[in-house]
């Protein structure tokens, strides 16, 4: 029983990170219809920036927010310098632009930081807590709580603020949003900024547990996108559930079969689900009248 609980706790911790990345995917997709494959780089920007600042002697409660702000700046820059100039380019072109941006950001981080693996001490120390025979790091509680808090905050923001409703209107029909006076450019800027902030925050919270390096964003983006697909594209709750589900699948596979197959097992389950429900677990079926 304690062994199973240990795998569950490990899976929930990793799944919370994937859920945060998936929430970032969902934010940008809902606003622009684009899958941003540079989302994983925002996680690395947050983690690497926080690690560099903490190493330089900056307290973690200052380094963390500064790292999130750095992620937001990168997100806004990605929109203004790469996505916005593309204008009304085909969707596949925009996706390729995000992939190219991901490669470019990895190169920049390799130069600005280095190729080494980085981590720093957990916010509440590194002494494991015991629970029913299993152990969990205090930082894991920060990660899980942070993902759930971000989900709740984004749900409130999108549903109960003027800026959030502007993002929803832009996502629904950009032309109609312009006609009723909504600044769609500002809504897109805000979407990318929030998405990058969520990713950077995930990096800040996760680095003490998962460590980080300049090229860690590739796999993070794939797992986050997989969580988005599993939960249902465009559904924030689906992104949250999909992230936790992938984390649990990986943990169970690594624990009961082999860690060599944990990535493959997660993708196989996702493919199986999408064969049965192409819209994902919580996605809506859409029809188009022609």
């Amino acid at each position: 029983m304690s062994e199973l609980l240990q795998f569950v706790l490990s899976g929930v911790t990793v799944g919370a990170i994937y859920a945060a990345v998936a929430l970032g995917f969902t934010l940008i997709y809902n606003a622009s219809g684009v899958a941003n494959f540079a989302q994983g780089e925002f996680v690395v920007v947050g983690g690497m920036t926080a690690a560099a600042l903490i190493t330089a002697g900056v307290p973690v409660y200052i380094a963390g927010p500064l790292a999130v702000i750095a992620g937001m700046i990168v997100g806004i820059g990605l929109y203004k310098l790469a996505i916005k100039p593309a204008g009304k380019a085909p969707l596949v072109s925009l996706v390729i632009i995000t992939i190219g941006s991901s490669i470019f950001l990895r190169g920049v981080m390799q130069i600005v930081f280095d190729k080494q693996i980085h981590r720093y001490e957990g916010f509440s120390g590194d002494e494991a807590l015991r629970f029913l025979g299993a152990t969990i790091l205090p930082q894991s509680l920060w990660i899980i709580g942070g993902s759930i808090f971000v989900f709740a905050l984004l749900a409130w923001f999108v549903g109960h603020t003027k800026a959030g409703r502007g993002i929803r209107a832009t996502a629904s029909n950009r032309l109609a949003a312009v006609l009723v006076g909504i600044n769609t450019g500002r809504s897109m800027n805000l979407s990318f900024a929030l998405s990058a902030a969520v990713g950077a925050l995930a990096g800040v919270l996760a680095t003490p547990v998962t460590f980080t390096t300049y090229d860690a964003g590739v796999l993070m983006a794939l797992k986050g996108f997989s969580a988005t697909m599993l939960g249902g594209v465009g559904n924030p709750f689906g992104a949250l559930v999909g992230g936790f589900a992938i984390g649990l699948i990986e943990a169970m596979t690594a624990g009961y079969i082999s860690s060599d197959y944990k990535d493959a097992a997660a993708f196989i389950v996702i493919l199986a689900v999408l064969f049965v429900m192409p819209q994902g677990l919580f996605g809506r079926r859409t029809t188009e009248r022609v």
Side-chain angles (χ1 to χ4, degrees):
M1 182 63 185
S2 61
E3 186 181 66
L4 173 62
L5 181 59
Q6 185 66 65
F7 296 149
V8 169
L9 292 176
S10 299
V12 169
T13 299
V14 177
I17 302 170
Y18 297 157
V21 179
L23 285 172
F25 268 107
T26 300
L27 264 174
I28 292 181
Y29 179 83
N30 281 345
S32 64
V34 176
N36 176 29
F37 284 97
Q39 186 65 34
E41 310 312 320
F42 299 151
V43 180
V44 179
V45 168
M48 294 286 276
T49 303
L53 291 173
I54 292 170
T55 301
V58 179
V60 66
Y61 56 84
I62 297 177
L66 288 178
V68 172
I69 292 171
M72 293 178 68
I73 293 172
V74 172
I76 293 172
L78 172 64
Y79 171 66
K80 287 187 172 296
L81 300 177
I83 303 298
K84 186 177 180 180
K88 297 181 179 180
L91 181 59
V92 66
S93 298
L94 294 175
V95 171
I96 291 173
I97 287 172
T98 66
I99 295 173
S101 300
S102 171
I103 297 171
F104 173 76
L105 288 173
R106 286 202 300 278
V108 170
M109 284 186 286
Q110 181 179 344
I111 296 171
V112 173
F113 300 106
D114 53 42
K115 297 182 180 180
Q116 304 302 314
I117 297 174
H118 294 271
R119 79 171 296 272
Y120 41 86
E121 185 180 356
F123 300 167
S124 302
D126 291 331
E127 185 176 350
L129 306 174
R130 297 196 65 83
F131 177 70
L132 298 179
T135 60
I136 184 171
L137 292 173
Q139 191 65 26
S140 296
L141 301 180
W142 281 94
I143 295 170
I144 297 167
S147 290
I148 295 174
F149 173 75
V150 165
F151 168 76
L153 185 63
L154 287 177
W156 171 83
F157 175 80
V158 173
H160 298 88
T161 66
K162 183 178 180 180
R165 288 192 290 269
I167 292 176
R168 291 171 59 191
T170 301
S172 177
N173 189 317
R174 191 174 302 184
L175 177 59
V178 171
L179 292 176
V180 298
I182 294 173
N183 189 329
T184 56
R186 185 179 301 169
S187 295
M188 290 291 292
N189 262 329
L190 183 58
S191 297
F192 273 84
L194 288 176
S195 174
V198 171
L201 178 60
V204 171
L205 294 175
T207 296
V209 174
T210 62
F211 300 10
T212 191
T213 183
Y214 79 97
D215 59 352
V218 179
L219 189 58
M220 200 68 70
L222 288 175
K223 296 296 180 65
F225 181 69
S226 298
T228 304
M229 295 294 295
L230 180 61
V233 178
N235 189 312
F237 180 72
L240 189 71
V241 173
F244 281 116
I246 291 178
L248 288 170
I249 292 168
E250 285 190 357
M252 295 302 173
T253 303
Y256 290 112
I257 302 176
S258 170
S259 59
D260 294 335
Y261 302 116
K262 65 184 181 68
D263 294 332
F267 289 124
I268 288 172
V269 170
I270 292 166
L271 289 173
V273 171
L274 294 179
F275 274 129
V276 179
M277 295 180 290
Q279 75 279 8
L281 295 175
F282 300 98
R284 295 180 179 178
R285 294 182 180 275
T286 59
T287 57
E288 183 177 354
R289 181 175 295 175
V290 294

